[in-house]
Amino acid sequence: MSTTELKIPFPSERLDALRFFMEKKDQTVEQELKDYLNKTYERLVPANVREYVESRLELETTQEQTAETQSNPSPRERQPRTSRRQREQAAAETPPSPEAQSEAEAPAEEEAQGMTMSM
């Protein structure tokens, strides 16, 4: 949901005094203003328009949550299991590194020397 920041001029001395006395009651100017804006919104905006706006906000929130879960899978989510055959095929499809190739060639030569077939 997108939000808009409102800025209004207000005398600094009055704001300081207001904050001082609101602090004693564990209140904040920002929360009081939000409450006032919400009450004014409910009083002045017709119910059918509020219903439409709320449905749009819910849809937007749902889409944002869906996008988050798709881009950030939960750490507890398991990867699908692969069979031994699938792992072997995947290993065969990936080209081996040059070091692995030289190591793989050496045993092949040794095996070839010890195995001979004749008819």
Side-chain angles (χ1 to χ4, degrees), residues 8-46:
I8 56 170
F10 194 75
S12 299
E13 294 80 16
R14 291 178 70 188
L15 181 60
D16 290 340
L18 182 61
R19 283 188 172 145
F20 176 79
F21 287 100
M22 289 184 85
E23 221 174 77
K24 290 183 176 186
K25 296 183 178 186
D26 293 325
Q27 296 175 333
T28 64
V29 174
E30 292 81 7
Q31 190 57 49
E32 283 293 313
L33 289 173
K34 285 181 187 177
D35 291 344
Y36 181 77
L37 282 174
N38 284 328
K39 288 176 187 173
T40 305
Y41 171 80
E42 289 176 6
R43 183 172 48 93
L44 295 177
V45 177

PDB file of all heavy atoms in Angstrom, residues 8-46:
ATOM      1  N   ILE A   8       2.364  20.003   7.319  1.00  0.00           N
ATOM      2  CA  ILE A   8       1.574  21.205   7.592  1.00  0.00           C
ATOM      3  C   ILE A   8       2.388  22.129   8.490  1.00  0.00           C
ATOM      4  O   ILE A   8       3.123  21.672   9.363  1.00  0.00           O
ATOM      5  CB  ILE A   8       0.220  20.863   8.257  1.00  0.00           C
ATOM      6  CG1 ILE A   8       0.443  20.055   9.539  1.00  0.00           C
ATOM      7  CG2 ILE A   8      -0.681  20.106   7.309  1.00  0.00           C
ATOM      8  CD1 ILE A   8      -0.809  19.890  10.371  1.00  0.00           C
ATOM      9  N   PRO A   9       2.264  23.414   8.258  1.00  0.00           N
ATOM     10  CA  PRO A   9       2.984  24.346   9.130  1.00  0.00           C
ATOM     11  C   PRO A   9       2.266  24.463  10.478  1.00  0.00           C
ATOM     12  O   PRO A   9       1.030  24.427  10.560  1.00  0.00           O
ATOM     13  CB  PRO A   9       2.935  25.669   8.358  1.00  0.00           C
ATOM     14  CG  PRO A   9       1.785  25.544   7.432  1.00  0.00           C
ATOM     15  CD  PRO A   9       1.598  24.081   7.153  1.00  0.00           C
ATOM     16  N   PHE A  10       3.048  24.522  11.539  1.00  0.00           N
ATOM     17  CA  PHE A  10       2.511  24.653  12.893  1.00  0.00           C
ATOM     18  C   PHE A  10       3.593  25.314  13.731  1.00  0.00           C
ATOM     19  O   PHE A  10       4.770  24.953  13.630  1.00  0.00           O
ATOM     20  CB  PHE A  10       2.157  23.264  13.447  1.00  0.00           C
ATOM     21  CG  PHE A  10       1.302  23.279  14.684  1.00  0.00           C
ATOM     22  CD1 PHE A  10      -0.049  23.579  14.621  1.00  0.00           C
ATOM     23  CD2 PHE A  10       1.857  22.974  15.911  1.00  0.00           C
ATOM     24  CE1 PHE A  10      -0.829  23.580  15.759  1.00  0.00           C
ATOM     25  CE2 PHE A  10       1.077  22.972  17.062  1.00  0.00           C
ATOM     26  CZ  PHE A  10      -0.270  23.280  16.987  1.00  0.00           C
ATOM     27  N   PRO A  11       3.235  26.272  14.570  1.00  0.00           N
ATOM     28  CA  PRO A  11       4.245  26.972  15.371  1.00  0.00           C
ATOM     29  C   PRO A  11       5.039  25.998  16.255  1.00  0.00           C
ATOM     30  O   PRO A  11       4.470  25.148  16.940  1.00  0.00           O
ATOM     31  CB  PRO A  11       3.429  27.949  16.231  1.00  0.00           C
ATOM     32  CG  PRO A  11       2.143  28.122  15.495  1.00  0.00           C
ATOM     33  CD  PRO A  11       1.894  26.821  14.796  1.00  0.00           C
ATOM     34  N   SER A  12       6.354  26.114  16.222  1.00  0.00           N
ATOM     35  CA  SER A  12       7.241  25.205  16.949  1.00  0.00           C
ATOM     36  C   SER A  12       6.976  25.204  18.449  1.00  0.00           C
ATOM     37  O   SER A  12       6.989  24.144  19.089  1.00  0.00           O
ATOM     38  CB  SER A  12       8.700  25.577  16.706  1.00  0.00           C
ATOM     39  OG  SER A  12       8.993  25.477  15.342  1.00  0.00           O
ATOM     40  N   GLU A  13       6.740  26.395  19.029  1.00  0.00           N
ATOM     41  CA  GLU A  13       6.515  26.480  20.476  1.00  0.00           C
ATOM     42  C   GLU A  13       5.254  25.725  20.871  1.00  0.00           C
ATOM     43  O   GLU A  13       5.221  25.024  21.887  1.00  0.00           O
ATOM     44  CB  GLU A  13       6.419  27.946  20.936  1.00  0.00           C
ATOM     45  CG  GLU A  13       7.705  28.736  20.778  1.00  0.00           C
ATOM     46  CD  GLU A  13       7.951  29.225  19.341  1.00  0.00           C
ATOM     47  OE1 GLU A  13       7.002  29.220  18.520  1.00  0.00           O
ATOM     48  OE2 GLU A  13       9.084  29.574  19.027  1.00  0.00           O
ATOM     49  N   ARG A  14       4.224  25.852  20.063  1.00  0.00           N
ATOM     50  CA  ARG A  14       2.968  25.155  20.357  1.00  0.00           C
ATOM     51  C   ARG A  14       3.144  23.650  20.215  1.00  0.00           C
ATOM     52  O   ARG A  14       2.622  22.877  21.021  1.00  0.00           O
ATOM     53  CB  ARG A  14       1.861  25.657  19.430  1.00  0.00           C
ATOM     54  CG  ARG A  14       1.460  27.091  19.738  1.00  0.00           C
ATOM     55  CD  ARG A  14       0.412  27.618  18.798  1.00  0.00           C
ATOM     56  NE  ARG A  14      -0.865  26.957  19.043  1.00  0.00           N
ATOM     57  CZ  ARG A  14      -1.934  27.114  18.266  1.00  0.00           C
ATOM     58  NH1 ARG A  14      -1.880  27.911  17.222  1.00  0.00           N
ATOM     59  NH2 ARG A  14      -3.045  26.483  18.545  1.00  0.00           N
ATOM     60  N   LEU A  15       3.924  23.222  19.209  1.00  0.00           N
ATOM     61  CA  LEU A  15       4.165  21.794  19.018  1.00  0.00           C
ATOM     62  C   LEU A  15       4.965  21.218  20.185  1.00  0.00           C
ATOM     63  O   LEU A  15       4.660  20.126  20.677  1.00  0.00           O
ATOM     64  CB  LEU A  15       4.902  21.550  17.698  1.00  0.00           C
ATOM     65  CG  LEU A  15       5.198  20.095  17.350  1.00  0.00           C
ATOM     66  CD1 LEU A  15       3.915  19.278  17.235  1.00  0.00           C
ATOM     67  CD2 LEU A  15       5.995  20.014  16.060  1.00  0.00           C
ATOM     68  N   ASP A  16       5.956  21.966  20.643  1.00  0.00           N
ATOM     69  CA  ASP A  16       6.741  21.511  21.791  1.00  0.00           C
ATOM     70  C   ASP A  16       5.853  21.345  23.022  1.00  0.00           C
ATOM     71  O   ASP A  16       5.960  20.355  23.750  1.00  0.00           O
ATOM     72  CB  ASP A  16       7.882  22.488  22.095  1.00  0.00           C
ATOM     73  CG  ASP A  16       8.966  22.468  21.034  1.00  0.00           C
ATOM     74  OD1 ASP A  16       9.047  21.463  20.275  1.00  0.00           O
ATOM     75  OD2 ASP A  16       9.735  23.453  20.950  1.00  0.00           O
ATOM     76  N   ALA A  17       4.990  22.316  23.277  1.00  0.00           N
ATOM     77  CA  ALA A  17       4.086  22.243  24.431  1.00  0.00           C
ATOM     78  C   ALA A  17       3.121  21.069  24.274  1.00  0.00           C
ATOM     79  O   ALA A  17       2.865  20.318  25.226  1.00  0.00           O
ATOM     80  CB  ALA A  17       3.321  23.557  24.583  1.00  0.00           C
ATOM     81  N   LEU A  18       2.601  20.893  23.074  1.00  0.00           N
ATOM     82  CA  LEU A  18       1.679  19.784  22.820  1.00  0.00           C
ATOM     83  C   LEU A  18       2.359  18.446  23.065  1.00  0.00           C
ATOM     84  O   LEU A  18       1.811  17.565  23.742  1.00  0.00           O
ATOM     85  CB  LEU A  18       1.157  19.872  21.380  1.00  0.00           C
ATOM     86  CG  LEU A  18       0.151  18.832  20.940  1.00  0.00           C
ATOM     87  CD1 LEU A  18      -1.104  18.899  21.793  1.00  0.00           C
ATOM     88  CD2 LEU A  18      -0.191  19.024  19.476  1.00  0.00           C
ATOM     89  N   ARG A  19       3.564  18.283  22.537  1.00  0.00           N
ATOM     90  CA  ARG A  19       4.307  17.025  22.741  1.00  0.00           C
ATOM     91  C   ARG A  19       4.596  16.790  24.223  1.00  0.00           C
ATOM     92  O   ARG A  19       4.521  15.667  24.704  1.00  0.00           O
ATOM     93  CB  ARG A  19       5.610  17.042  21.949  1.00  0.00           C
ATOM     94  CG  ARG A  19       5.399  16.791  20.484  1.00  0.00           C
ATOM     95  CD  ARG A  19       6.703  16.627  19.752  1.00  0.00           C
ATOM     96  NE  ARG A  19       6.462  16.205  18.380  1.00  0.00           N
ATOM     97  CZ  ARG A  19       7.197  16.575  17.350  1.00  0.00           C
ATOM     98  NH1 ARG A  19       8.239  17.367  17.517  1.00  0.00           N
ATOM     99  NH2 ARG A  19       6.907  16.153  16.133  1.00  0.00           N
ATOM    100  N   PHE A  20       4.937  17.867  24.943  1.00  0.00           N
ATOM    101  CA  PHE A  20       5.250  17.742  26.369  1.00  0.00           C
ATOM    102  C   PHE A  20       4.065  17.154  27.129  1.00  0.00           C
ATOM    103  O   PHE A  20       4.207  16.202  27.903  1.00  0.00           O
ATOM    104  CB  PHE A  20       5.634  19.111  26.937  1.00  0.00           C
ATOM    105  CG  PHE A  20       5.889  19.098  28.413  1.00  0.00           C
ATOM    106  CD1 PHE A  20       7.091  18.635  28.913  1.00  0.00           C
ATOM    107  CD2 PHE A  20       4.917  19.545  29.301  1.00  0.00           C
ATOM    108  CE1 PHE A  20       7.333  18.610  30.282  1.00  0.00           C
ATOM    109  CE2 PHE A  20       5.152  19.523  30.673  1.00  0.00           C
ATOM    110  CZ  PHE A  20       6.356  19.053  31.165  1.00  0.00           C
ATOM    111  N   PHE A  21       2.869  17.689  26.898  1.00  0.00           N
ATOM    112  CA  PHE A  21       1.704  17.228  27.642  1.00  0.00           C
ATOM    113  C   PHE A  21       1.157  15.904  27.107  1.00  0.00           C
ATOM    114  O   PHE A  21       0.600  15.111  27.873  1.00  0.00           O
ATOM    115  CB  PHE A  21       0.625  18.317  27.675  1.00  0.00           C
ATOM    116  CG  PHE A  21       1.006  19.445  28.586  1.00  0.00           C
ATOM    117  CD1 PHE A  21       1.537  20.615  28.081  1.00  0.00           C
ATOM    118  CD2 PHE A  21       0.873  19.322  29.959  1.00  0.00           C
ATOM    119  CE1 PHE A  21       1.915  21.657  28.926  1.00  0.00           C
ATOM    120  CE2 PHE A  21       1.249  20.352  30.816  1.00  0.00           C
ATOM    121  CZ  PHE A  21       1.778  21.518  30.296  1.00  0.00           C
ATOM    122  N   MET A  22       1.339  15.639  25.846  1.00  0.00           N
ATOM    123  CA  MET A  22       0.905  14.346  25.296  1.00  0.00           C
ATOM    124  C   MET A  22       1.797  13.222  25.804  1.00  0.00           C
ATOM    125  O   MET A  22       1.334  12.108  26.013  1.00  0.00           O
ATOM    126  CB  MET A  22       0.895  14.392  23.766  1.00  0.00           C
ATOM    127  CG  MET A  22      -0.206  15.240  23.202  1.00  0.00           C
ATOM    128  SD  MET A  22      -0.261  15.170  21.425  1.00  0.00           S
ATOM    129  CE  MET A  22      -1.232  13.708  21.206  1.00  0.00           C
ATOM    130  N   GLU A  23       3.076  13.521  25.996  1.00  0.00           N
ATOM    131  CA  GLU A  23       4.019  12.530  26.498  1.00  0.00           C
ATOM    132  C   GLU A  23       3.596  12.040  27.879  1.00  0.00           C
ATOM    133  O   GLU A  23       3.733  10.864  28.205  1.00  0.00           O
ATOM    134  CB  GLU A  23       5.417  13.147  26.570  1.00  0.00           C
ATOM    135  CG  GLU A  23       6.514  12.232  26.117  1.00  0.00           C
ATOM    136  CD  GLU A  23       7.843  12.973  26.073  1.00  0.00           C
ATOM    137  OE1 GLU A  23       8.431  13.187  27.149  1.00  0.00           O
ATOM    138  OE2 GLU A  23       8.255  13.338  24.957  1.00  0.00           O
ATOM    139  N   LYS A  24       3.065  12.935  28.697  1.00  0.00           N
ATOM    140  CA  LYS A  24       2.602  12.569  30.031  1.00  0.00           C
ATOM    141  C   LYS A  24       1.447  11.567  29.978  1.00  0.00           C
ATOM    142  O   LYS A  24       1.239  10.803  30.907  1.00  0.00           O
ATOM    143  CB  LYS A  24       2.181  13.815  30.811  1.00  0.00           C
ATOM    144  CG  LYS A  24       3.343  14.702  31.198  1.00  0.00           C
ATOM    145  CD  LYS A  24       2.871  15.873  32.024  1.00  0.00           C
ATOM    146  CE  LYS A  24       4.060  16.699  32.479  1.00  0.00           C
ATOM    147  NZ  LYS A  24       3.669  17.767  33.401  1.00  0.00           N
ATOM    148  N   LYS A  25       0.696  11.605  28.879  1.00  0.00           N
ATOM    149  CA  LYS A  25      -0.440  10.690  28.711  1.00  0.00           C
ATOM    150  C   LYS A  25      -0.098   9.528  27.778  1.00  0.00           C
ATOM    151  O   LYS A  25      -0.984   8.824  27.309  1.00  0.00           O
ATOM    152  CB  LYS A  25      -1.644  11.452  28.150  1.00  0.00           C
ATOM    153  CG  LYS A  25      -2.156  12.506  29.096  1.00  0.00           C
ATOM    154  CD  LYS A  25      -3.384  13.180  28.535  1.00  0.00           C
ATOM    155  CE  LYS A  25      -3.904  14.210  29.525  1.00  0.00           C
ATOM    156  NZ  LYS A  25      -5.166  14.779  29.077  1.00  0.00           N
ATOM    157  N   ASP A  26       1.205   9.348  27.497  1.00  0.00           N
ATOM    158  CA  ASP A  26       1.676   8.283  26.595  1.00  0.00           C
ATOM    159  C   ASP A  26       0.985   8.329  25.235  1.00  0.00           C
ATOM    160  O   ASP A  26       0.524   7.323  24.707  1.00  0.00           O
ATOM    161  CB  ASP A  26       1.484   6.895  27.225  1.00  0.00           C
ATOM    162  CG  ASP A  26       2.374   6.695  28.437  1.00  0.00           C
ATOM    163  OD1 ASP A  26       3.511   7.216  28.416  1.00  0.00           O
ATOM    164  OD2 ASP A  26       1.945   6.020  29.388  1.00  0.00           O
ATOM    165  N   GLN A  27       0.902   9.530  24.684  1.00  0.00           N
ATOM    166  CA  GLN A  27       0.321   9.723  23.359  1.00  0.00           C
ATOM    167  C   GLN A  27       1.338  10.433  22.480  1.00  0.00           C
ATOM    168  O   GLN A  27       2.287  11.042  22.974  1.00  0.00           O
ATOM    169  CB  GLN A  27      -0.961  10.565  23.449  1.00  0.00           C
ATOM    170  CG  GLN A  27      -2.075   9.908  24.237  1.00  0.00           C
ATOM    171  CD  GLN A  27      -3.256  10.844  24.389  1.00  0.00           C
ATOM    172  OE1 GLN A  27      -3.118  12.059  24.382  1.00  0.00           O
ATOM    173  NE2 GLN A  27      -4.431  10.261  24.534  1.00  0.00           N
ATOM    174  N   THR A  28       1.119  10.326  21.151  1.00  0.00           N
ATOM    175  CA  THR A  28       1.984  11.037  20.219  1.00  0.00           C
ATOM    176  C   THR A  28       1.136  11.903  19.297  1.00  0.00           C
ATOM    177  O   THR A  28      -0.033  11.585  19.033  1.00  0.00           O
ATOM    178  CB  THR A  28       2.825  10.076  19.350  1.00  0.00           C
ATOM    179  OG1 THR A  28       1.937   9.304  18.536  1.00  0.00           O
ATOM    180  CG2 THR A  28       3.693   9.176  20.207  1.00  0.00           C
ATOM    181  N   VAL A  29       1.727  12.979  18.826  1.00  0.00           N
ATOM    182  CA  VAL A  29       1.030  13.875  17.903  1.00  0.00           C
ATOM    183  C   VAL A  29       0.684  13.121  16.625  1.00  0.00           C
ATOM    184  O   VAL A  29      -0.433  13.223  16.105  1.00  0.00           O
ATOM    185  CB  VAL A  29       1.902  15.108  17.589  1.00  0.00           C
ATOM    186  CG1 VAL A  29       1.252  15.983  16.525  1.00  0.00           C
ATOM    187  CG2 VAL A  29       2.174  15.904  18.846  1.00  0.00           C
ATOM    188  N   GLU A  30       1.637  12.316  16.139  1.00  0.00           N
ATOM    189  CA  GLU A  30       1.419  11.591  14.889  1.00  0.00           C
ATOM    190  C   GLU A  30       0.222  10.638  14.990  1.00  0.00           C
ATOM    191  O   GLU A  30      -0.616  10.580  14.085  1.00  0.00           O
ATOM    192  CB  GLU A  30       2.679  10.813  14.504  1.00  0.00           C
ATOM    193  CG  GLU A  30       3.861  11.690  14.104  1.00  0.00           C
ATOM    194  CD  GLU A  30       4.638  12.269  15.298  1.00  0.00           C
ATOM    195  OE1 GLU A  30       4.348  11.883  16.450  1.00  0.00           O
ATOM    196  OE2 GLU A  30       5.513  13.105  15.055  1.00  0.00           O
ATOM    197  N   GLN A  31       0.124   9.917  16.099  1.00  0.00           N
ATOM    198  CA  GLN A  31      -0.989   8.976  16.257  1.00  0.00           C
ATOM    199  C   GLN A  31      -2.320   9.714  16.380  1.00  0.00           C
ATOM    200  O   GLN A  31      -3.321   9.290  15.817  1.00  0.00           O
ATOM    201  CB  GLN A  31      -0.770   8.066  17.481  1.00  0.00           C
ATOM    202  CG  GLN A  31      -1.769   6.927  17.553  1.00  0.00           C
ATOM    203  CD  GLN A  31      -1.766   6.050  16.305  1.00  0.00           C
ATOM    204  OE1 GLN A  31      -0.728   5.620  15.839  1.00  0.00           O
ATOM    205  NE2 GLN A  31      -2.940   5.809  15.758  1.00  0.00           N
ATOM    206  N   GLU A  32      -2.322  10.821  17.092  1.00  0.00           N
ATOM    207  CA  GLU A  32      -3.545  11.619  17.211  1.00  0.00           C
ATOM    208  C   GLU A  32      -3.995  12.135  15.847  1.00  0.00           C
ATOM    209  O   GLU A  32      -5.179  12.121  15.523  1.00  0.00           O
ATOM    210  CB  GLU A  32      -3.332  12.797  18.167  1.00  0.00           C
ATOM    211  CG  GLU A  32      -3.343  12.408  19.617  1.00  0.00           C
ATOM    212  CD  GLU A  32      -4.700  11.930  20.096  1.00  0.00           C
ATOM    213  OE1 GLU A  32      -5.723  12.594  19.804  1.00  0.00           O
ATOM    214  OE2 GLU A  32      -4.741  10.883  20.760  1.00  0.00           O
ATOM    215  N   LEU A  33      -3.030  12.595  15.045  1.00  0.00           N
ATOM    216  CA  LEU A  33      -3.375  13.089  13.713  1.00  0.00           C
ATOM    217  C   LEU A  33      -3.903  11.965  12.822  1.00  0.00           C
ATOM    218  O   LEU A  33      -4.866  12.161  12.063  1.00  0.00           O
ATOM    219  CB  LEU A  33      -2.162  13.770  13.067  1.00  0.00           C
ATOM    220  CG  LEU A  33      -1.762  15.118  13.673  1.00  0.00           C
ATOM    221  CD1 LEU A  33      -0.447  15.600  13.072  1.00  0.00           C
ATOM    222  CD2 LEU A  33      -2.862  16.146  13.462  1.00  0.00           C
ATOM    223  N   LYS A  34      -3.275  10.784  12.906  1.00  0.00           N
ATOM    224  CA  LYS A  34      -3.772   9.634  12.128  1.00  0.00           C
ATOM    225  C   LYS A  34      -5.200   9.290  12.521  1.00  0.00           C
ATOM    226  O   LYS A  34      -6.054   9.057  11.664  1.00  0.00           O
ATOM    227  CB  LYS A  34      -2.870   8.416  12.339  1.00  0.00           C
ATOM    228  CG  LYS A  34      -1.565   8.479  11.616  1.00  0.00           C
ATOM    229  CD  LYS A  34      -0.763   7.214  11.888  1.00  0.00           C
ATOM    230  CE  LYS A  34       0.628   7.300  11.323  1.00  0.00           C
ATOM    231  NZ  LYS A  34       1.433   6.118  11.629  1.00  0.00           N
ATOM    232  N   ASP A  35      -5.458   9.259  13.836  1.00  0.00           N
ATOM    233  CA  ASP A  35      -6.813   8.953  14.308  1.00  0.00           C
ATOM    234  C   ASP A  35      -7.810   9.986  13.797  1.00  0.00           C
ATOM    235  O   ASP A  35      -8.908   9.639  13.338  1.00  0.00           O
ATOM    236  CB  ASP A  35      -6.846   8.909  15.835  1.00  0.00           C
ATOM    237  CG  ASP A  35      -6.088   7.727  16.418  1.00  0.00           C
ATOM    238  OD1 ASP A  35      -5.789   6.764  15.662  1.00  0.00           O
ATOM    239  OD2 ASP A  35      -5.792   7.768  17.631  1.00  0.00           O
ATOM    240  N   TYR A  36      -7.427  11.253  13.866  1.00  0.00           N
ATOM    241  CA  TYR A  36      -8.316  12.321  13.399  1.00  0.00           C
ATOM    242  C   TYR A  36      -8.587  12.197  11.900  1.00  0.00           C
ATOM    243  O   TYR A  36      -9.724  12.332  11.448  1.00  0.00           O
ATOM    244  CB  TYR A  36      -7.731  13.702  13.733  1.00  0.00           C
ATOM    245  CG  TYR A  36      -8.632  14.819  13.294  1.00  0.00           C
ATOM    246  CD1 TYR A  36      -9.766  15.141  14.022  1.00  0.00           C
ATOM    247  CD2 TYR A  36      -8.367  15.532  12.125  1.00  0.00           C
ATOM    248  CE1 TYR A  36     -10.620  16.160  13.606  1.00  0.00           C
ATOM    249  CE2 TYR A  36      -9.205  16.542  11.707  1.00  0.00           C
ATOM    250  CZ  TYR A  36     -10.336  16.854  12.453  1.00  0.00           C
ATOM    251  OH  TYR A  36     -11.178  17.840  12.029  1.00  0.00           O
ATOM    252  N   LEU A  37      -7.542  11.912  11.118  1.00  0.00           N
ATOM    253  CA  LEU A  37      -7.730  11.765   9.671  1.00  0.00           C
ATOM    254  C   LEU A  37      -8.633  10.574   9.356  1.00  0.00           C
ATOM    255  O   LEU A  37      -9.495  10.654   8.457  1.00  0.00           O
ATOM    256  CB  LEU A  37      -6.385  11.603   8.967  1.00  0.00           C
ATOM    257  CG  LEU A  37      -5.581  12.882   8.758  1.00  0.00           C
ATOM    258  CD1 LEU A  37      -4.206  12.552   8.193  1.00  0.00           C
ATOM    259  CD2 LEU A  37      -6.318  13.834   7.838  1.00  0.00           C
ATOM    260  N   ASN A  38      -8.456   9.473  10.075  1.00  0.00           N
ATOM    261  CA  ASN A  38      -9.316   8.300   9.843  1.00  0.00           C
ATOM    262  C   ASN A  38     -10.773   8.606  10.166  1.00  0.00           C
ATOM    263  O   ASN A  38     -11.683   8.213   9.423  1.00  0.00           O
ATOM    264  CB  ASN A  38      -8.833   7.105  10.663  1.00  0.00           C
ATOM    265  CG  ASN A  38      -7.610   6.465  10.056  1.00  0.00           C
ATOM    266  OD1 ASN A  38      -7.427   6.459   8.843  1.00  0.00           O
ATOM    267  ND2 ASN A  38      -6.748   5.925  10.905  1.00  0.00           N
ATOM    268  N   LYS A  39     -11.031   9.319  11.269  1.00  0.00           N
ATOM    269  CA  LYS A  39     -12.403   9.685  11.639  1.00  0.00           C
ATOM    270  C   LYS A  39     -13.006  10.631  10.604  1.00  0.00           C
ATOM    271  O   LYS A  39     -14.164  10.496  10.211  1.00  0.00           O
ATOM    272  CB  LYS A  39     -12.433  10.326  13.023  1.00  0.00           C
ATOM    273  CG  LYS A  39     -12.186   9.338  14.142  1.00  0.00           C
ATOM    274  CD  LYS A  39     -12.129  10.048  15.480  1.00  0.00           C
ATOM    275  CE  LYS A  39     -11.715   9.058  16.563  1.00  0.00           C
ATOM    276  NZ  LYS A  39     -11.491   9.734  17.852  1.00  0.00           N
ATOM    277  N   THR A  40     -12.213  11.573  10.135  1.00  0.00           N
ATOM    278  CA  THR A  40     -12.689  12.518   9.123  1.00  0.00           C
ATOM    279  C   THR A  40     -12.980  11.797   7.809  1.00  0.00           C
ATOM    280  O   THR A  40     -13.994  12.068   7.150  1.00  0.00           O
ATOM    281  CB  THR A  40     -11.640  13.637   8.906  1.00  0.00           C
ATOM    282  OG1 THR A  40     -11.362  14.249  10.158  1.00  0.00           O
ATOM    283  CG2 THR A  40     -12.143  14.674   7.926  1.00  0.00           C
ATOM    284  N   TYR A  41     -12.121  10.857   7.447  1.00  0.00           N
ATOM    285  CA  TYR A  41     -12.314  10.046   6.239  1.00  0.00           C
ATOM    286  C   TYR A  41     -13.637   9.285   6.332  1.00  0.00           C
ATOM    287  O   TYR A  41     -14.444   9.301   5.402  1.00  0.00           O
ATOM    288  CB  TYR A  41     -11.126   9.095   6.100  1.00  0.00           C
ATOM    289  CG  TYR A  41     -11.261   8.031   5.035  1.00  0.00           C
ATOM    290  CD1 TYR A  41     -11.033   8.309   3.702  1.00  0.00           C
ATOM    291  CD2 TYR A  41     -11.612   6.727   5.383  1.00  0.00           C
ATOM    292  CE1 TYR A  41     -11.140   7.330   2.728  1.00  0.00           C
ATOM    293  CE2 TYR A  41     -11.725   5.746   4.423  1.00  0.00           C
ATOM    294  CZ  TYR A  41     -11.491   6.049   3.104  1.00  0.00           C
ATOM    295  OH  TYR A  41     -11.608   5.065   2.153  1.00  0.00           O
ATOM    296  N   GLU A  42     -13.876   8.642   7.469  1.00  0.00           N
ATOM    297  CA  GLU A  42     -15.112   7.867   7.640  1.00  0.00           C
ATOM    298  C   GLU A  42     -16.349   8.759   7.651  1.00  0.00           C
ATOM    299  O   GLU A  42     -17.413   8.353   7.186  1.00  0.00           O
ATOM    300  CB  GLU A  42     -15.040   7.040   8.927  1.00  0.00           C
ATOM    301  CG  GLU A  42     -14.058   5.892   8.821  1.00  0.00           C
ATOM    302  CD  GLU A  42     -13.906   5.118  10.112  1.00  0.00           C
ATOM    303  OE1 GLU A  42     -14.653   5.398  11.092  1.00  0.00           O
ATOM    304  OE2 GLU A  42     -13.037   4.234  10.169  1.00  0.00           O
ATOM    305  N   ARG A  43     -16.205   9.977   8.161  1.00  0.00           N
ATOM    306  CA  ARG A  43     -17.339  10.888   8.244  1.00  0.00           C
ATOM    307  C   ARG A  43     -17.682  11.489   6.882  1.00  0.00           C
ATOM    308  O   ARG A  43     -18.859  11.633   6.535  1.00  0.00           O
ATOM    309  CB  ARG A  43     -17.020  11.997   9.247  1.00  0.00           C
ATOM    310  CG  ARG A  43     -18.147  12.980   9.500  1.00  0.00           C
ATOM    311  CD  ARG A  43     -17.845  13.935  10.639  1.00  0.00           C
ATOM    312  NE  ARG A  43     -16.529  14.551  10.571  1.00  0.00           N
ATOM    313  CZ  ARG A  43     -16.278  15.732   9.990  1.00  0.00           C
ATOM    314  NH1 ARG A  43     -17.242  16.414   9.411  1.00  0.00           N
ATOM    315  NH2 ARG A  43     -15.062  16.225   9.999  1.00  0.00           N
ATOM    316  N   LEU A  44     -16.663  11.820   6.077  1.00  0.00           N
ATOM    317  CA  LEU A  44     -16.909  12.556   4.844  1.00  0.00           C
ATOM    318  C   LEU A  44     -16.985  11.696   3.583  1.00  0.00           C
ATOM    319  O   LEU A  44     -17.701  12.049   2.647  1.00  0.00           O
ATOM    320  CB  LEU A  44     -15.825  13.627   4.660  1.00  0.00           C
ATOM    321  CG  LEU A  44     -15.801  14.742   5.706  1.00  0.00           C
ATOM    322  CD1 LEU A  44     -14.643  15.682   5.453  1.00  0.00           C
ATOM    323  CD2 LEU A  44     -17.123  15.499   5.707  1.00  0.00           C
ATOM    324  N   VAL A  45     -16.269  10.587   3.535  1.00  0.00           N
ATOM    325  CA  VAL A  45     -16.259   9.757   2.322  1.00  0.00           C
ATOM    326  C   VAL A  45     -17.443   8.793   2.394  1.00  0.00           C
ATOM    327  O   VAL A  45     -17.607   8.090   3.392  1.00  0.00           O
ATOM    328  CB  VAL A  45     -14.919   8.994   2.193  1.00  0.00           C
ATOM    329  CG1 VAL A  45     -14.936   8.076   0.978  1.00  0.00           C
ATOM    330  CG2 VAL A  45     -13.762   9.974   2.106  1.00  0.00           C
ATOM    331  N   PRO A  46     -18.261   8.759   1.339  1.00  0.00           N
ATOM    332  CA  PRO A  46     -19.417   7.858   1.349  1.00  0.00           C
ATOM    333  C   PRO A  46     -19.008   6.388   1.539  1.00  0.00           C
ATOM    334  O   PRO A  46     -17.923   5.968   1.124  1.00  0.00           O
ATOM    335  CB  PRO A  46     -20.049   8.065  -0.032  1.00  0.00           C
ATOM    336  CG  PRO A  46     -19.558   9.395  -0.488  1.00  0.00           C
ATOM    337  CD  PRO A  46     -18.200   9.562   0.115  1.00  0.00           C
TER     338      PRO A  46
END
